[in-house]
């Protein structure tokens, strides 16, 4: 099992502009083979910072997820509002930074 922790910083006040795309991406991701959990949170200290925590059965399932049209749509919808993005893939034996 692996985890993904993604931190996304958005332009000030733009959370509402990407909310529908985020909800749609989450709903479709939860239907994917190998997806155990996919949660998205707004930081309590900074409402323009999103934290996504995912749990996947295998690295292969996560790789397949990266090629899905709903993830592409999410990236395109959020790109104009994103100021930074950090993705960590946590394996039992290592952490990948993506």
């Amino acid at each position: 099992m692996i985890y993904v922790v993604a931190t996304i910083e958005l332009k000030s006040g733009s959370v509402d502009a990407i909310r529908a795309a985020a909800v749609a991406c989450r709903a479709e991701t939860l239907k994917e083979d190998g997806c155990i959990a996919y949660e998205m949170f707004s930081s309590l200290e900074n409402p323009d910072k999103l934290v996504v925590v995912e749990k996947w059965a295998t690295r292969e399932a996560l790789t397949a997820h990266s090629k899905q049209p709903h993830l592409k749509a999410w990236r395109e919808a959020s790109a104009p509002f994103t100021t930074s993005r950090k993705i960590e893939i946590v394996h039992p034996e290592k952490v990948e930074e993506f």
Side-chain angles (χ1 to χ4, degrees):
M1 187 171 343
I2 60 172
Y3 294 87
V4 176
V5 179
T7 306
I8 305 163
E9 299 263 355
L10 301 170
K11 293 178 183 175
S12 181
S14 61
V15 172
D16 288 339
I18 57 98
R19 187 176 313 278
V23 169
C25 181
R26 180 181 182 271
E28 291 303 311
T29 299
L30 286 169
K31 297 175 187 175
E32 291 181 50
D33 287 339
C35 180
I36 299 167
Y38 188 99
E39 300 296 333
M40 186 177 290
F41 306 95
S42 291
S43 168
L44 295 175
E45 295 177 358
N46 178 359
D48 299 313
K49 181 179 186 178
L50 302 177
V51 179
V52 180
V53 180
E54 307 170 35
K55 187 191 282 189
W56 292 89
T58 65
R59 181 64 169 96
E60 293 77 20
L62 176 60
T63 298
H65 166 65
S66 71
K67 299 172 185 173
Q68 297 301 311
H70 54 269
L71 186 59
K72 180 181 179 194
W74 159 244
R75 287 181 180 150
E76 289 174 356
S78 62
F81 305 102
T82 300
T83 59
S84 71
R85 180 185 318 246
K86 179 181 180 181
I87 301 173
E88 295 176 298
I89 303 170
V90 182
H91 301 259
E93 71 282 356
K94 67 179 178 178
V95 176
E96 292 177 62
E97 289 197 30
F98 184 78

